[in-house]
C-alpha cells in the first residue's frame, strides 16, 4: 500500500468492531429465502443471514455441479468513526490493486459462486468465531436453494485462513476442497507479534514516544483513536525516510548518536528482524544506481515501501484483537533480538546494516532497551486465538505471493508444516497397525514469483516509485487473472477427485501461467514466531 493510500485508509477505516462486547449466539433458524433475478444466463440471488449480514449467490446456466463459497479478509469498522459496511464487497477472488475479480471467468467455466459480508451486528473485525457459524449458514442456504450442488469449495483470502481452517475441522462435510489465498495461518498471534515488534524497534531507534501495541486494549472509539495515534507516529517516520532515504545518522538511542550508523540501517534491521519482505512493488533487492549503490540499499527501500501497509494493518488488526484479549497481549521480555536476525541475511545485507560493528551496536542497543511487559491472561488469550488442529483431510491448495507485504508468505509455509506434522504422525500410526486406508498427503502450496529484476530509476538515480512495478509476486491478494484462475481450476479438480494436483500437473500449468512457481517444494522465509 502506498503511503498516500495508507493515510486514506486510516482516515476512512475504523478499527475492529467491538467484537469482545458481542455475545456468541447460535443460528436459531434458517435465513430467509433469497430474492433472485436472471440475466444473460446467470441467476443472481441476494438475501440476509439470520444476523442481518448480506449474501450473494450467482448460478450460471451451464452450472457443472460445484459451488465456490468465498470468505473475504479482514475489514475494520468503528461506528461514529468510519462508514458502516454496506454489504457484500467481493463475490469472487479480486486483485486488491487492480480491483478486478474473476466472476466472469468463473461463470463461463460453469462454477456457481457464493459470498457474504462477515458482519456481526453491523460491525466487522477479528470476529472469526462468529464467521465460522455464518459460513455454515451460507452453505446451508445455498444447498436449500440449489439441491443440484454436488461439490463444495470453501476458499478465501487473508483473515479467511484463520476462519476456514477451524471451519473445515468443525464441519468436515461442508467442503470437498479448501483454498487459502494469501492467508493467515492460526494463530494470528505469530504475525501480530512481529507487527508489534516493528513499532517497538522503531521506538528504540527513531521515536521514543511510540508506545505501539502497549497502547492497545481500550474498547470502542477511544481505543481506535489511541491505536491510530500510534500509527500516525510511524507514518511520520516513513514520510521523512521517503524524502531522505534514511541517510541521516541515528539520533536514538543516546548510545548510538554520533556512531555514524545511518537511520536506514536501523530501518533495514527492523525489517529483517520482523520478516518484512526485502522485495516490494518497485524494489527487487538487487538493482543498483548512483544513489542506490548496493543491493542491500535497494532492499532497504523495499522495506520502507512495504512497512506502511504492514504496520497499518497490524495496528487495525491488533486493536481488534486487543478488544478480545484485553490490554497487554504484547510482551517482549523474553525476545532474543539477535536470534531473529537470520545469519544469511546478516551476511547478504551487511553493507546496508553498516557492517558487523553496526549490527553488533544496534543489537546491543535493542537488548539494553526497556522491555514491554504484558498481562499473563491477555498473552494466553492472544496465543490461543483461532486455535486449529490442522487435522482436516480435505484437499487444500494455498497460493501466496513471494513478497506479500501484509500477510507474509511464511504463513503459507507454516500451514504446510502444521499439516505435514499431522500427516507424518498418521502415517507412522498406519505403518505400525496397517488399519484403515493409507494416509495421503493432500496439501499443495503455490507461489507467485517476481521477475529477477524490475526496479526502475529516475535520471537522477533515485528509485522510481510511481511506475507500474513488478508484474507478479508482490502485494497482498494481488495475483494476475491467470494465476487466480489456475488456482480456482485446481480447486475444482481437487473437489472432484479428492486429491490435490500432482507435481507434474503443477509444473505443466506453470509453463502456461507467467510467474507461477512450478516447484511444489519451494519454501519462502519462515515467520519469526511459532506460538
Amino acid at each position: 500500500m502506498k503511503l498516500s493510500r495508507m493515510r486514506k485508509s486510516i482516515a476512512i477505516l475504523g478499527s475492529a468492531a467491538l467484537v469482545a462486547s458481542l455475545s456468541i449466539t447460535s443460528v436459531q433458524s434458517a435465513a430467509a429465502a433469497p430474492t433472485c433475478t436472471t440475466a444473460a444466463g446467470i441467476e443472481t440471488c441476494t438475501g440476509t443471514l439470520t444476523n442481518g449480514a448480506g449474501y450473494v449467490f450467482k448460478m450460471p446456466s451451464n452450472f457443472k455441479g460445484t459451488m465456490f463459497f468465498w470468505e473475504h479478509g479482514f475489514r475494520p469498522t468503528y461506528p461514529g468513526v468510519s462508514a458502516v459496511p454496506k454489504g457484500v464487497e467481493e463475490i469472487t477472488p479480486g486483485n486488491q490493486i487492480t480491483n478486478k475479480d474473476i466472476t466472469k471467468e468463473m461463470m463461463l467455466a460453469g462454477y456457481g459462486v457464493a459470498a457474504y459480508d462477515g458482519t456481526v451486528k453491523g460491525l466487522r473485525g477479528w470476529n472469526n468465531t462468529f464467521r465460522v457459524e455464518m459460513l455454515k449458514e451460507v452453505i446451508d442456504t445455498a444447498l436449500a436453494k440449489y439441491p443440484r450442488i454436488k461439490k463444495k469449495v470453501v476458499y478465501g483470502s487473508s483473515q479467511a485462513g484463520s476462519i476456514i481452517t477451524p471451519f473445515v475441522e468443525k464441519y468436515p462435510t461442508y467442503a470437498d476442497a479448501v483454498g487459502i489465498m494469501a492467508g493467515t495461518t492460526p494463530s494470528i498471534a505469530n504475525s501480530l507479534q512481529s507487527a508489534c515488534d516493528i513499532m517497538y524497534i522503531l521506538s528504540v531507534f527513531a521515536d521514543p514516544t511510540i508506545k505501539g501495541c502497549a497502547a492497545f486494549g481500550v474498547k470502542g472509539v477511544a481505543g481506535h483513536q489511541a491505536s491510530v495515534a500510534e500509527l500516525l507516529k510511524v507514518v511520520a517516520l516513513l514520510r521523512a525516510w521517503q524524502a531522505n532515504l534514511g541517510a541521516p545518522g541515528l539520533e536514538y538511542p543516546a548510545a548510538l548518536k554520533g556512531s555514524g550508523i545511518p537511520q536506514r540501517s536501523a530501518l533495514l534491521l527492523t525489517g529483517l528482524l520482523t520478516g518484512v519482505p526485502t522485495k516490494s512493488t518497485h524494489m527487487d533487492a538487487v538493482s543498483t544506481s548512483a544513489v542506490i549503490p548496493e543491493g542491500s540499499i535497494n532492499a532497504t527501500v523495499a522495506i520502507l515501501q512495504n512497512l506502511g501497509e504492514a504496520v497499518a494493518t497490524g495496528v487495525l488488526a491488533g486493536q481488534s484483537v486487543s478488544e478480545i484479549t484485553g490490554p497487554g497481549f504484547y510482551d517482549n521480555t523474553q525476545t532474543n533480538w539477535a536470534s531473529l536476525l537470520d545469519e544469511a541475511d546478516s551476511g547478504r545485507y551487511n553493507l546496508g546494516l553498516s557492517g558487523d560493528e553496526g549490527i553488533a551496536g544496534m543489537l546491543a542497543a535493542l537488548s539494553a532497551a526497556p522491555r514491554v511487559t504484558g498481562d499473563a491472561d491477555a498473552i494466553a488469550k492472544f496465543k490461543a486465538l483461532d486455535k486449529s488442529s490442522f487435522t482436516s483431510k480435505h484437499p487444500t491448495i494455498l497460493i501466496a505471493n513471494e513478497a506479500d507485504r501484509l500477510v507474509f508468505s511464511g504463513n503459507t509455509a507454516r500451514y504446510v508444516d502444521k499439516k505435514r506434522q499431522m500427516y507424518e504422525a498418521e502415517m507412522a500410526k498406519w505403518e505400525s497397525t496397517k488399519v484403515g486406508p493409507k494416509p495421503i498427503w493432500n496439501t499443495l502450496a503455490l507461489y507467485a514469483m517476481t521477475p529477477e529484476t524490475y526496479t526502475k530509476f529516475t535520471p537522477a538515480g533515485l528509485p522510481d516509485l510511481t511506475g507500474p512495478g513488478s508484474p507478479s509476486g508482490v502485494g497482498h491478494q494481488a495475483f494476475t487473472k491467470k494465476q487466480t484462475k489456475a488456482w480456482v481450476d485446481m480447486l475444482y479438480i481437487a473437489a472432484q477427485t479428492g486429491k490435490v494436483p500432482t507435481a507434474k500437473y503443477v509444473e505443466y500449468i506453470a509453463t502456461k501461467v507467467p510467474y507461477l512457481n512450478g516447484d511444489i517444494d519451494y519454501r519462502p522465509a519462515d515467520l519469526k514466531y511459532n506460538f
Side-chain angles (χ1 to χ4, degrees), residues 13-51:
L13 293 178
S15 183
L18 307 178
V19 291
S21 66
L22 302 178
S23 58
I24 300 175
T25 57
S26 60
V27 176
Q28 299 298 317
S29 60
T35 300
C36 302
T37 60
T38 300
I42 299 173
E43 181 179 60
T44 300
C45 299
T46 60
T48 57
L49 303 177
T50 53
N51 73 348

Side-chain angles (χ1 to χ4, degrees), residues 434-457:
K434 302 298 182 183
V435 174
K438 183 178 180 180
I440 64 169
W441 175 243
N442 220 6
T443 301
L444 171 65
L446 303 172
Y447 294 92
M449 310 301 287
T450 68
E452 184 176 352
T453 60
Y454 53 88
T455 297
K456 306 296 182 185
F457 296 99

Side-chain angles (χ1 to χ4, degrees), residues 85-401:
K86 296 182 180 179
V88 179
E89 297 175 342
E90 290 181 347
I91 298 176
T92 61
N95 183 307
Q96 290 192 352
I97 295 176
T98 65
N99 294 319
K100 295 180 180 179
D101 65 20
I102 61 167
T103 301
K104 179 180 179 180
E105 289 79 3
M106 293 183 74
M107 294 294 96
L108 290 173
Y111 305 154
V113 302
Y116 76 101
D117 183 18
T119 59
V120 179
K121 296 186 179 180
L123 305 174
R124 293 169 172 152
W126 205 258
N127 50 7
N128 295 10
T129 303
F130 301 93
R131 288 176 65 178
V132 166
E133 303 308 320
M134 293 166 71
L135 177 56
K136 178 180 182 295
E137 187 180 2
V138 171
I139 296 175
D140 284 336
T141 304
L143 291 173
K145 168 64 178 172
Y146 300 111
R148 63 186 185 276
I149 295 174
K150 304 302 180 184
K151 299 291 182 180
K152 304 174 292 294
V153 175
V154 175
Y155 70 144
S157 72
S158 198
Q159 180 190 11
S162 292
I163 300 167
I164 292 173
T165 304
F167 173 81
V168 295
E169 293 166 6
K170 185 174 183 179
Y171 298 112
T173 64
Y174 275 68
D176 295 288
V178 175
I180 299 176
M181 168 183 275
T184 57
T185 293
S187 166
I188 188 60
N190 297 286
S191 294
L192 281 182
Q193 183 76 10
S194 287
C196 293
D197 281 351
I198 290 173
M199 288 184 283
Y200 172 80
I201 297 170
L202 292 178
S203 77
V204 173
F205 291 121
D207 183 354
T209 70
I210 294 175
K211 297 178 182 177
C213 293
F216 300 170
V218 176
K219 293 183 179 180
V221 173
H224 167 71
Q225 292 175 336
S227 65
V228 169
E230 295 303 306
L231 174 56
L232 290 176
K233 297 174 186 178
V234 177
V235 170
L237 286 175
L238 298 181
R239 292 181 66 183
W241 284 333
Q242 188 177 42
N244 61 28
L245 297 182
L250 285 174
E251 294 290 326
Y252 305 99
L256 293 181
K257 185 173 183 178
S259 65
I261 299 174
Q263 293 172 20
R264 64 171 174 248
S265 290
L267 171 62
L268 176 57
L269 182 67
T270 301
L272 296 177
L273 292 180
T274 56
V276 178
T278 53
K279 293 184 178 183
S280 67
T281 301
H282 296 95
M283 308 306 291
D284 55 28
V286 177
S287 299
T288 61
S289 72
V291 179
I292 308 295
E294 202 267 336
S296 63
I297 310 301
N298 185 305
T300 305
V301 179
I303 288 173
L304 172 61
Q305 195 170 33
N306 288 333
L307 210 60
E309 186 168 355
V311 174
T313 305
V315 166
L316 296 175
Q319 171 60 21
S320 177
V321 163
S322 76
E323 296 189 2
I324 301 171
T325 66
F329 71 84
Y330 176 62
D331 182 290
N332 64 16
T333 57
Q334 302 302 312
T335 302
N336 182 336
W337 299 110
S339 70
L340 296 179
L341 180 60
D342 183 80
E343 185 176 350
D345 285 345
S346 179
R348 178 180 179 185
Y349 303 112
N350 194 270
L351 181 60
L353 292 168
S354 296
D356 292 341
E357 290 186 5
I359 294 170
M362 288 187 290
L363 289 177
L366 267 180
S367 297
R371 300 299 182 101
V372 175
T373 302
D375 176 82
D377 183 59
I379 294 169
K381 291 178 181 178
F382 179 55
K383 294 181 179 180
L385 286 169
D386 320 317
K387 196 168 185 178
S388 301
S389 63
F390 298 91
T391 54
S392 166
K393 303 298 190 301
H394 302 85
T396 302
I397 306 176
L398 307 96
I399 186 169
N401 271 323

